[in-house]
Amino acid sequence: MSITASPPAVRSFSLSRSSRRVIPRARMAVRSNVITVAPILTKLQKDCATPLPVLRHVADAMAADMRDGLAVDGGSDLKMILSYVDSLPTGNETGLFYALDLGGTNFRVLRVQLGGKAERVVATEFEQVSIPQDLMFGTSEELFDFIASGLAKFAQKEGGNFHLPSGRTREIGFTFSFPVKQTSIASGILMKWTKGFAVSGTAGKDVVACLNEALERQRLDMQVSALVNDTVGTLAGARYWDDDVMVAVILGTGTNACYVECVDAIPKLQGQKSTSGRTIVNTEWGAFSNGLPLTEFDREMDAESINSGEQIFEKTISGMYLGEIVRRVLFKMAEAGALFGESVPEKLSIPFVLRTPDMSAMQQDNSRDLEAVGSILYDAAGVNSDLSARKIVIEVCDTIAKRGGRLAGAGIVGILQKMDSESSIFGKRTVVAMDGGLYEHYPQYRRYLQDAVTELLGSEISKNIVIEHSKDGSGIGAALLAATNSKYDHDL
């Protein structure tokens, strides 16, 4: 069975449903069997527990898998993909550049006018377009034609704040947030689709060529000058403003992380040199699986997914999956423990009907009768609930969010440990740039992540580690990398 429901979007992680309805009070008086569901909740909390020894094992295993992945292609679950980004933006970049960001259920187009160190970002505009669900399971040509059409419409609206010197082609930074084996700064072979995409005819092909062909079919005079992952774009965008940024992490629909590595610490480079002696490595950490605390609900969800046995870390910490895990727990509680009364709401059996933004919104409800929790359950899953049932729902949400946030924190520490073993970073300020709707809009998750980092590193070292939100950094970052790798001079 393939799960084909549309996951929440990285950039549209919303805390409220526009169609929220107030449940008539007469419908709230539903008997819930708290005693019967208590063992299910207790076992869930036990299976999801992330005490310090578990976090330490995850961090150590992450660092070890990184080393193995850097030694040889296929050396570990982590792809450790070379980005070919050897130099990061300095602030000297000038001119008009575009960015195209494909990384979830939306794609975003952006343009930016850069004015060098004196003016930095002069002007910027962007638009976001939802990708129809059928295109996520369609052909490569259909998907890229849809994207090129959106880019063409956006380019036609270029206003007076943006200036391209005559005789120049518009250059694009292409953020493509799926596993790609990069072959140069402006080319890369798709290894596989993730995040619920199953597009045919793209795997094994150069995604830049796929986009360029679609642009030609649209008769659009644009050229990709940088292909980057969203984490690489986020790192570049944050580094433009802060030279201490060394790591970037995306926590949204999907998840990934990248970091700045010394080329001497990458055996699989086999003598290739970098002008700076460093390069950005894209870990593809969603594929990590070593020692993670999993439940029966995780295993069932994975078995029914379109990529069974893969992306296990992503399935425990990212926004696409957290709400679905909660739904599966609540369905079992309703079925085995009559949590919502004698009958099980039919809608609750639909995969992905409960979204991670719903989890977050329910956890923000501080009212005495948890009225918002009741409304969300009713709107999203057709569930009538009483107060005792709502309290259990909050416990379930918190358990899954806590595990996810703490495991993400342990993953970050694993990256930092690997970096420290090469260049002793723990004694100085080091910034981890974070982006993605899950991190931005789920305060409990964010707090659990920070707590795990502090617990693992200790209070003294963790003072030097700054975990900083870099909102929408990947789009600007891709445009900046297009500028850094422009075929034209920057002095306009």
Side-chain angles (χ1 to χ4, degrees):
M1 171 182 161
S2 292
I3 296 174
T4 59
S6 177
V10 175
R11 309 297 181 195
S12 59
F13 192 100
S14 170
L15 291 183
S16 63
R17 286 177 176 265
S18 59
S19 59
R20 182 89 74 229
R21 286 170 286 174
V22 177
I23 306 169
R25 292 213 170 260
R27 305 195 72 163
M28 289 185 179
V30 179
R31 185 181 67 83
S32 63
N33 195 333
V34 178
I35 296 172
T36 314
V37 302
I40 301 173
L41 179 60
T42 301
K43 185 176 189 311
L44 178 74
Q45 291 171 330
K46 180 182 177 183
D47 291 345
C48 287
T50 50
L52 191 55
V54 169
L55 294 180
R56 189 162 283 131
H57 172 82
V58 169
D60 291 346
M62 181 71 75
D65 275 9
M66 289 171 67
R67 288 189 189 91
D68 292 343
L70 289 173
V72 61
D73 282 336
S76 80
D77 286 342
L78 303 189
K79 302 292 186 189
M80 303 303 287
I81 299 166
L82 307 178
S83 68
Y84 289 82
V85 174
D86 297 335
S87 57
L88 287 162
T90 61
N92 291 320
E93 297 80 14
T94 59
L96 169 62
F97 297 91
Y98 276 71
L100 169 62
D101 187 344
L102 175 63
T105 49
N106 301 314
F107 75 87
R108 198 167 62 132
V109 286
L110 174 147
R111 58 178 151 252
V112 60
Q113 188 78 36
L114 301 173
K117 281 196 170 169
E119 297 180 274
R120 294 279 177 161
V121 176
V122 177
T124 183
E125 289 179 344
F126 74 91
E127 285 182 6
Q128 186 164 282
V129 182
S130 293
I131 297 173
Q133 189 175 328
D134 61 314
L135 291 184
M136 294 172 65
F137 302 91
T139 67
S140 178
E141 190 170 300
E142 289 169 342
L143 177 63
F144 281 97
D145 278 349
F146 180 78
I147 291 167
S149 173
L151 184 55
K153 290 173 186 173
F154 180 66
Q156 288 171 2
K157 302 174 188 173
E158 193 178 283
N161 290 330
F162 301 92
H163 170 66
L164 183 76
S166 61
R168 295 197 177 188
T169 297
R170 286 169 178 78
E171 293 181 282
I172 311 170
F174 183 17
T175 303
F176 187 77
S177 305
F178 301 90
V180 166
K181 182 171 178 58
Q182 200 112 7
T183 50
S184 75
I185 187 62
S187 62
I189 307 301
L190 176 68
M191 299 162 78
K192 64 179 180 180
W193 289 103
T194 55
K195 306 179 190 176
F197 278 72
V199 177
S200 62
T202 324
K205 290 188 177 180
D206 179 0
V207 294
V208 172
C210 290
L211 177 59
N212 282 336
E213 288 163 11
L215 293 175
E216 287 174 16
R217 287 192 291 270
Q218 289 288 329
R219 301 189 178 184
L220 188 59
D221 186 21
M222 283 191 171
Q223 172 185 308
V224 175
S225 58
L227 172 68
V228 299
N229 185 271
D230 56 353
T231 48
V232 175
T234 295
L235 197 157
R239 183 69 169 252
Y240 184 67
W241 304 102
D242 188 336
D243 289 340
D244 292 334
V245 174
M246 299 293 285
V247 182
V249 176
I250 301 290
L251 283 164
T253 302
T255 184
N256 196 12
C258 72
Y259 70 106
V260 178
E261 180 63 279
C262 301
V263 294
D264 292 342
I266 310 176
K268 68 181 180 183
L269 261 179
Q270 297 178 332
Q272 293 181 46
K273 293 298 177 184
S274 156
T275 53
S276 65
R278 293 184 170 190
T279 190
I280 299 177
V281 175
N282 166 20
T283 67
E284 289 295 336
W285 80 350
F288 177 76
S289 61
N290 196 329
L292 301 175
L294 301 177
T295 70
E296 63 183 281
F297 308 102
D298 298 296
R299 294 185 180 93
E300 288 170 2
M301 181 183 71
D302 175 56
E304 295 173 13
S305 70
I306 60 176
N307 57 348
S308 180
E310 301 177 359
Q311 300 297 112
I312 304 302
F313 194 47
E314 181 168 81
K315 288 172 181 172
T316 55
I317 73 169
S318 80
M320 180 172 175
Y321 300 101
L322 300 186
E324 171 60 7
I325 298 167
V326 169
R327 183 201 66 81
R328 287 173 177 267
V329 176
L330 297 183
F331 184 73
K332 179 172 183 178
M333 287 180 164
E335 202 171 41
L339 177 63
F340 304 116
E342 294 303 330
S343 62
V344 179
E346 185 178 350
K347 197 175 176 184
L348 190 59
S349 68
I350 301 172
F352 292 95
V353 73
L354 192 69
R355 306 172 307 135
T356 303
D358 298 324
M359 282 175 65
S360 178
M362 288 191 285
Q363 282 203 257
Q364 311 321 312
D365 185 2
N366 296 316
S367 65
R368 182 179 294 180
D369 63 355
L370 298 177
E371 185 178 346
V373 174
S375 294
I376 291 165
L377 289 172
Y378 184 74
D379 285 349
V383 168
N384 291 307
S385 58
D386 62 13
L387 182 58
S388 60
R390 292 172 198 169
K391 287 180 178 178
I392 289 170
V393 171
I394 292 295
E395 287 274 357
V396 172
C397 290
D398 191 65
T399 300
I400 300 305
K402 183 176 184 179
R403 179 187 65 168
R406 286 174 66 80
L407 288 176
I412 290 170
V413 170
I415 292 174
L416 294 171
Q417 286 177 180
K418 165 64 181 75
M419 295 174 69
D420 186 65
S421 69
E422 307 295 340
S423 55
S424 303
I425 64 166
F426 283 149
K428 55 191 175 185
R429 182 176 182 268
T430 301
V431 177
V432 180
M434 308 291 297
D435 198 8
L438 174 60
Y439 182 82
E440 180 181 1
H441 293 300
Y442 205 150
Q444 287 86 352
Y445 184 102
R446 198 164 58 236
R447 187 178 71 245
Y448 288 135
L449 184 155
Q450 180 67 66
D451 288 349
V453 171
T454 304
E455 284 177 40
L456 280 164
L457 293 178
S459 57
E460 282 307 306
I461 291 177
S462 60
K463 284 178 185 174
N464 292 325
I465 306 302
V466 181
I467 298 178
E468 196 167 81
H469 182 218
S470 176
K471 182 173 172 60
D472 295 331
S474 64
I476 284 276
L480 288 165
L481 288 172
T484 304
N485 293 279
S486 172
K487 66 180 181 179
Y488 305 110
D489 292 334
H490 294 145
D491 50 342
L492 301 182

